[in-house]
Amino acid sequence: MLINHKNFRTIWLNEEYESVIQIIDQRHLPHRFIIEDLTHTNDVIIAIKDMHVRGAGLIGATAGFGMYLATIEASKSISFDDYLLQVSKAIKETRPTAVNLQWAVNRQLAEINKGHNSTEKISISKKTAIDIANEDAEYCKNIGKHGVKIIEEISKQKNGETVNILTHCNAGWLAFVDFGSATSPIYEAFEKGVKIHVWVDETRPRNQGANLTAWELLNHGVPHTIIADNTGGHLMQHGLVDIVITGADRVTREGDAANKIGTYLKALAARDNDIPFYIAMPSSTIDWNTRNGINEIPIEQRNPDEVKYMQGLYNGDIISVLVAPEKSNAANYGFDVTPSRLITGLITERGLCAPNEIGLLELYPEKNTHD
Ligand code: MRU
């Protein structure tokens, strides 16, 4: 997507040095645009854990590239297989909720296994990492093509008046390799000239909405307004929201969706106000092995300091300030689960479906067996 009129993805292989992965270090956005080189699997692990990269799709793509670096390192170690296993375990443990991480590592392990020697394994894992990234971008683009129909329909019902879309967190191109999930239909509608406006939840504690989604939309000229997290319900009661679209970090076989903390409350408010609530996600986010999201999806708990401190720009420097009594306890649950009964529909790369097993299996009939 565009940054200062130049096209960027969130992760790519350095053109000159093929063992260097490059990422946009998202910790500095929206104030600074910094590209970071990842040259070792330890860099990859830190980048995922400390959120230089974040968002389900991008975490998966980064894990895919991490596994490619792992094969290079493994070829220089005493035991290729032991090294690979050790790194894959460490990558999988970086963040628990987004299933794309496990999915990408497992896909890499299955592919690498097909190589007969370390040279072949390195080349296979490089190709697989690139495939994962390209597929992520392609799938997100398709999510836009399917999802835009919903926005166009609302626009028609409103006789071309502005469609107000509310989104939570960042499920934009920064959370994927390109285009985003929740934002892809938004970008598509904008390109088609549909009049839209986006309410951007700031998304405490890390402010992915205010920092990242707003920055993305601004770069593309999409009209938007940042709101405090608790504003959505009020806007809905006053007819100022036509549709809610968020992303997901994991969707169960029965359509429950884990997403950034606070999503569930938006779904409740949307239901109370009869407003359609959609989850947009590529199939890499579907966990076919889970059914009940509330009981089965692990919810990441992060450092409570993320709640007590806020980060921002002051006199040209990015600083962190304490916004709570230093000695108070804080809890930092990263995600919540929206039960499928509160979801109007799922927007995937293959089309729209009902948030349940029947709907998902209609789009993905090959999953009609228990793995
Ligand atoms: O903790 P983060 O920033 O990695 O959170 C993940 C997300 O970006 C959101 O939950 C998002 O809405 C999911 S879409 C990838």
Side-chain angles (χ1 to χ4, degrees), residues 51 54-56 95 169-171 175-176 208 247-249 259-260 335:
M51 292 173 68
R54 18 80 39 217
R95 297 196 66 191
C169 193
N170 173 257
F176 290 86
Q208 288 95 328
D249 297 85
N259 193 51
K260 183 54 59 193
F335 302 89

Side-chain angles (χ1 to χ4, degrees), residues 19-38:
S19 57
V20 177
I21 317 300
Q22 298 195 286
I23 57 163
I24 299 168
D25 185 346
Q26 300 189 15
R27 291 171 307 163
H28 308 284
L29 291 174
H31 310 299
R32 301 218 170 91
F33 182 71
I34 293 176
I35 290 173
E36 183 186 358
D37 289 352
L38 309 178

Side-chain angles (χ1 to χ4, degrees), residues 26 48 51 53-59 95 98 100 167-172 174-176 181-182 203 206 208 212 246-250 258-261 263 280-282 285 300 302 334-335:
Q26 300 189 15
I48 300 176
M51 292 173 68
V53 289
R54 18 80 39 217
L58 178 54
I59 289 174
R95 297 196 66 191
N100 304 57
T167 193
H168 190 68
C169 193
N170 173 257
L174 289 168
F176 290 86
S181 59
T203 319
R206 290 285 293 234
Q208 288 95 328
L212 306 175
T246 77
D249 297 85
R250 193 184 296 224
N259 193 51
K260 183 54 59 193
I261 193 81
T263 305
M281 84 291 172
T285 299
E300 178 179 17
R302 299 183 57 82
F335 302 89

Side-chain angles (χ1 to χ4, degrees), residues 6 11 21 33 42 47 55 71 105 115 123 140 162 176 194 197 201 206 240 267 322 339 347 366:
K6 194 174 162 209
I11 189 163
I21 317 300
F33 182 71
N42 288 336
T71 55
V105 172
S123 137
C140 282
T162 303
F176 290 86
V194 180
H197 164 262
D201 279 356
R206 290 285 293 234
L240 295 169
L322 183 65
I347 313 171
E366 71 275 21

Side-chain angles (χ1 to χ4, degrees), residues 254-255 343-346 352-363:
E254 293 182 357
I343 301 170
T344 310
L346 304 172
L352 307 181
C353 74
N356 54 44
E357 190 169 16
I358 296 172
L360 279 166
L361 288 178
E362 267 169 23
L363 288 185

